[in-house]
Amino acid sequence: MSGTTSMKYEELYATLRRRGILWPTAEIYGGAQGLYDYGPAGARLKRQLEEAWSAWFVGLSEDFHRIDPSEILPEAVVRASGHLENFTDPEVICAKCHGHFRAETVLEKFRPEGVDGLSPAQIGELLHQFPVKCPQCGSTELSVPQPFNLMFGFPFGAAGGERAYLRPETAQSSYLAFPRMWDVGRHALPLGIAVVGRAYRNEIAPRQVLFRLRAFTQAELQVFFDPETFRPPFVSVADESLPVLRVARRLAGEEAPEWRSARSLVEDGLPEFYVFFLVHQYRFFRDVLGYPKESIRLFEKSETERAFYNRIQFDFETKLESLGGYKELGAIHYRGDYDLSRHGKGSGKDLSVVLEGGRRVLPHVLEVTFGVDRNLWALADYGLSVEGDRTVWHLPPYLAPTSVGIFPLMKKEHSAEARRWTDEIQKAGFEAEFDAGGSIGKRYARMDELGVPYCVTLDRDTLAAETPERRTATLRDRDSKAQERVTLSELLNRLASSRVAPRPPTLDSFE
RNA sequence: GCGGUUGUGGUCUAGUGGUUAGGACGGUAGCUUCCCAAGCUACCUACCCGGGUUCGAAUCCCGGCAACCGCACCA
């Protein structure tokens, strides 16, 4: 359609607020940085998105399971995971080469007693006081990252002597669950543990609504596997083309991805299992969420950019008009055995497992992450478009917070029957919204803006039918505006099939 | 966290010390209308919060909160 435009950031956010998708937490008190509440439509959309993610990733194998662990973790956990280290090991960062170094190391010549207990500001002063140089590039432009720790910590227990933390990432919960999950499962690898839930970080500068939150929802799948035997069915994905931006190409100054076959990435040296999951996540973005494939980029992180325990890391980025560039919406990290090894040491428990045949291994972890809030924003960014005088949210029907709008053409004459249809549709398990306000065109417009894929209008012909079963109404499609007559049972069938998202073959079907 | 800019109904906004704080869109109710934001009538909703200056503050000053832009940060 001509005259179609996407929305700018402020306009997009205003639309989401106006339609009750989301708004600032504690709005009547002026809001709070980095905290947002989802309204009825937003909460439903978020739930649909989470379920779609689960169906796609957890549905990959019968040995992949979703759990619902605690959001509060005892201190021992975050100490073992390394999240607490920054408390006692503040880092300095080189502005030139972006290297990270422990403040203690950089300052040891000038301050042998160490830096324990010093504030970031005090360490910053020391950096000025002494001729401190970057150990990597020799630059003197060193700065202190702050605050030290982005975790929310608090006293735990009645005596208050212990401390606990809101989890800074959901992944830790899955690592902790591994031994129990191994016991209750069928003692085989790979074993997948998924968590969809909130994580909390006391971000220095929350920005851009859903992109840097202090409380945010992650969907993460941790795949525990035996590095010697893990062989997902790579041939089934080998011909897929992926828009990748590898490190070497980036260093040459390129920002655009190049299309590479999965096979060629393996020939480059990436493990088959890793590329298999790259394809799987890419297809989720493209086929389930419907992001335009030209806007997706699989951005490889270099050794200095990624966390040291990540052996391979690609961020899934998409180009968002509303935010003026590529934004990270997910990632895949090959973490080796770092996590189980850390928690093994921290807890004093042996977290290795004995496989069929008697071989003992400490499983490796492949982490597939997905930012639920960010992707909700991306769905709005790609889907919401202004077309002439109407605004349409082209949401995939299986993600839409409301499946169908039900209207009486004439409020007085047709409301009773429209209410009856609404009840029947809701009883069948679909989200249906009755609307008799304003003119018929206004109701269509309201539903379009909320991404409701179908509207049904009941009129005098509906009531003219001889039996209730033969009553038909106008079914109108959001994207094409095309109309057709359907009976209630035809409508229910249509809704049922519209709720089905694309599904891939499972790992098990290849066994 | 630092610097700059900003803060008026749900949304967009008019209003530079005295206004019944105006409009548009929106919402609600009624009338009308047999299919895409039509029309008519009525109604609804606002000066971010707290201090100060002043006879009088949406308007000037200070503080807070929040948003936007830039920098930094994002383990």
Side-chain angles (χ1 to χ4, degrees), chain A residues 388-420:
Chain A
D389 60 352
R390 70 182 194 133
T391 303
V392 188
W393 193 348
H394 298 286
L395 262 183
Y398 43 83
L399 295 177
T402 301
S403 292
V404 60
I406 312 291
F407 315 144
L409 187 57
M410 301 298 298
K411 191 175 183 177
K412 279 183 195 158
E413 283 100 279
H414 314 120
S415 281
E417 182 66 0
R419 293 265 187 210
R420 197 176 73 79

Side-chain angles (χ1 to χ4, degrees), chain A residues 446-483:
Chain A
R446 275 197 286 253
M447 294 295 164
D448 286 343
E449 197 181 32
L450 260 187
V452 180
Y454 299 110
C455 293
V456 171
T457 303
L458 291 81
D459 56 22
R460 68 164 71 108
D461 292 338
T462 309
L463 298 178
E466 291 154 22
T467 63
E469 292 71 36
R470 300 175 74 164
R471 287 179 183 163
T472 60
T474 306
L475 174 66
R476 179 260 200 187
D477 180 81
R478 177 195 63 204
D479 297 338
S480 67
K481 292 161 89 176
Q483 303 193 343

Side-chain angles (χ1 to χ4, degrees), chain A residues 315-460:
Chain A
D315 284 352
F316 280 70
E317 300 186 328
T318 65
K319 209 177 205 167
L320 293 175
E321 192 90 7
S322 62
L323 298 177
Y326 283 103
K327 290 287 168 184
E328 181 194 344
L329 299 181
I332 299 183
H333 307 130
Y334 177 26
R335 303 174 65 119
D337 64 5
Y338 175 78
D339 304 286
L340 290 185
S341 151
R342 291 288 295 219
H343 284 302
K345 286 197 190 90
S347 65
K349 306 273 193 309
D350 181 4
L351 302 183
S352 65
V353 297
V354 179
L355 298 174
E356 201 182 329
R359 197 158 51 86
R360 179 172 282 279
V361 300
L362 188 60
H364 281 206
V365 169
L366 185 71
E367 176 186 45
V368 184
T369 73
F370 179 79
V372 175
D373 313 275
R374 291 178 167 197
N375 277 280
L376 195 148
W377 180 277
L379 283 169
D381 182 292
Y382 288 123
L384 267 169
S385 66
V386 180
E387 302 173 1
D389 60 352
R390 70 182 194 133
T391 303
V392 188
W393 193 348
H394 298 286
L395 262 183
Y398 43 83
L399 295 177
T402 301
S403 292
V404 60
I406 312 291
F407 315 144
L409 187 57
M410 301 298 298
K411 191 175 183 177
K412 279 183 195 158
E413 283 100 279
H414 314 120
S415 281
E417 182 66 0
R419 293 265 187 210
R420 197 176 73 79
W421 282 47
T422 308
D423 284 350
E424 291 297 325
I425 295 164
Q426 285 171 344
K427 264 188 237 162
F430 304 106
E431 202 64 50
E433 196 171 317
F434 174 88
D435 188 357
S439 67
I440 189 76
K442 190 163 272 191
R443 296 176 214 156
Y444 283 139
R446 275 197 286 253
M447 294 295 164
D448 286 343
E449 197 181 32
L450 260 187
V452 180
Y454 299 110
C455 293
V456 171
T457 303
L458 291 81
D459 56 22
R460 68 164 71 108

